Amino acid sequence: MYGLTVRTITAAQDIPDLMARGLRELVPVLVLFFAVSQFLGYFKWTNLGQVIAITGARVLDSLGAQPVVIFVGAVLLVSLLNLFLTSGSAMWSLIAPVLVPMLMLLSIRPETTQALFRIADAPTNSLSPMSPYFVIALGFIRRYRPSAGIGTLMTLVLPLAVVNLVVWLALFLAWYALGIPLGPGVPVR
């Protein structure tokens, strides 16, 4: 009715065009979800995620790795992977089937693993050239410094990202050491 009132719909064939225009923005997300679902389907079908999780847990257990070392390793791994895959939900969909069971086998709660993922994900988003926000930030910098390029942006953002990552990880490690719950009814240990 709105389309008829404002005269954006004048004939019946205008409706499919308007519907397609609305879906056009969702296509990249649908493609990403398709790829992730295929990957997860193969992971489930081959049980590769379980094999990696069990093997990883055994290796970490045989090394006698302390939770703090495991936490730092998990944060560094997710931070590194985040430079190549910028979508937090896609990253979690790919990492969670391996990381959560692996750490559960080492008596680390899934909620703690989720907190570690969030700590690693947030600061490194600004460093990834794959991120659409990276291009936007580069555009803003070029307004004031036309000669600025990717290297300029990286040198400006890298120290902030590293400090942010270190501070959040240190805060989490203190939180863990004190045994403060992550939320109501959700102990950190």
Side-chain angles (χ1 to χ4, degrees), residues 62-104:
S62 70
L63 293 173
Q66 297 298 314
V68 173
V69 174
I70 295 169
F71 295 164
V72 171
V75 166
L76 292 177
L77 174 70
V78 171
S79 295
L80 179 67
L81 291 174
N82 199 34
L83 297 176
F84 304 104
L85 184 63
T86 58
S87 169
S89 58
M91 174 80 80
W92 180 249
S93 296
L94 295 173
I95 289 178
V98 175
L99 200 58
V100 171
M102 182 188 315
L103 297 185
M104 283 178 69

Side-chain angles (χ1 to χ4, degrees), residues 110-129:
E111 296 87 353
T112 302
T113 306
Q114 173 75 13
L116 291 168
F117 173 79
R118 293 295 170 204
I119 289 167
D121 182 52
T124 54
N125 280 336
S126 60
L127 293 174
S128 178

Side-chain angles (χ1 to χ4, degrees), residues 12-176:
Q13 54 267 44
D14 293 340
I15 295 171
D17 292 336
L18 291 171
M19 293 172 70
R21 194 178 320 154
L23 289 175
R24 210 171 284 137
E25 295 174 13
L26 292 176
V27 169
V29 174
L30 293 175
V31 169
L32 175 68
F33 286 163
F34 177 76
V36 168
S37 67
Q38 290 297 307
F39 181 80
L40 291 175
Y42 285 126
F43 236 53
K44 185 176 181 179
W45 179 62
T46 61
N47 291 325
L48 189 59
Q50 292 174 354
V51 170
I52 294 170
I54 292 168
T55 304
R58 283 185 184 154
V59 168
L60 290 172
D61 192 39
S62 70
L63 293 173
Q66 297 298 314
V68 173
V69 174
I70 295 169
F71 295 164
V72 171
V75 166
L76 292 177
L77 174 70
V78 171
S79 295
L80 179 67
L81 291 174
N82 199 34
L83 297 176
F84 304 104
L85 184 63
T86 58
S87 169
S89 58
M91 174 80 80
W92 180 249
S93 296
L94 295 173
I95 289 178
V98 175
L99 200 58
V100 171
M102 182 188 315
L103 297 185
M104 283 178 69
L105 289 169
L106 297 169
S107 301
I108 297 171
R109 299 178 58 85
E111 296 87 353
T112 302
T113 306
Q114 173 75 13
L116 291 168
F117 173 79
R118 293 295 170 204
I119 289 167
D121 182 52
T124 54
N125 280 336
S126 60
L127 293 174
S128 178
M130 305 293 283
S131 171
Y133 303 113
F134 191 87
V135 176
I136 292 170
L138 187 58
F140 281 123
I141 286 177
R142 285 191 171 181
R143 269 191 196 168
Y144 303 103
R145 192 184 297 175
S147 63
I150 292 174
T152 306
L153 181 57
M154 288 289 241
T155 57
L156 292 171
V157 174
L158 183 63
L160 298 172
V162 170
V163 167
N164 196 355
L165 186 66
V166 168
V167 167
W168 274 108
L169 184 57
L171 179 63
F172 177 81
L173 293 176
W175 198 279
Y176 184 82

